[in-house]
Amino acid sequence: MAAAISAGILGLGLGRGRRILLLRHPRRPFASQTDGEARVLQVLKDKFPRASAIRVVDISGGCGAMYEIHIESEEFKEKRTVQQHQMVNQALSEEIKAMHGLRIFTSIPKH
């Protein structure tokens, strides 16, 4: 079971021999950042200079196919969520061409 957990697979017993397998993405050490994450982060910093927080995580295991992005910025104030996400998509228009997917989370700082 320990090997399965370290490989990202966890079996949960449900009694009477039934099990559920939960798969999770392997985690990288906190200090490491992929080249793709750094590139996307820099583009977002340039496009959203007033952002109070930006986080970019490669959720494809490091190959750059899918990213999760969290941005907190005053620039989103008085914009609907879809408009906020359109702003992020526009900022990353070139980078998106090489991606398979993108999860976007936007927010406005709470002062």
Side-chain angles (χ1 to χ4, degrees), residues 1-11 24:
M1 180 67 112
I5 292 171
S6 66
I9 302 170
L10 177 61
R24 64 177 178 80

Side-chain angles (χ1 to χ4, degrees), residues 16-103:
R16 295 195 159 179
R18 294 175 29 198
R19 297 177 86 65
I20 294 179
L21 289 179
L22 301 176
L23 304 177
R24 64 177 178 80
H25 292 287
R27 299 274 181 196
R28 294 185 323 271
F30 288 110
S32 69
Q33 183 179 47
T34 67
D35 291 339
E37 288 170 337
R39 186 175 54 255
V40 170
L41 180 63
Q42 189 57 55
V43 169
L44 292 172
K45 283 182 177 180
D46 293 344
K47 299 288 183 170
F48 297 97
R50 294 176 24 208
S52 54
I54 300 176
R55 185 168 63 112
V56 177
V57 180
D58 183 338
I59 57 174
S60 62
C63 72
M66 188 161 180
Y67 291 91
E68 183 171 294
I69 296 171
H70 297 259
I71 304 175
E72 183 178 276
S73 179
E74 288 287 338
E75 294 162 89
F76 298 137
K77 199 171 199 168
E78 297 183 11
K79 294 195 174 14
R80 295 185 323 265
T81 302
V82 70
Q83 292 172 314
Q84 296 171 14
H85 290 204
Q86 287 170 341
M87 291 170 67
V88 175
N89 278 311
Q90 180 62 36
L92 296 173
S93 60
E94 285 303 311
E95 289 73 18
I96 286 175
K97 293 175 183 177
M99 295 179 195
H100 291 282
L102 185 62
R103 291 183 189 162

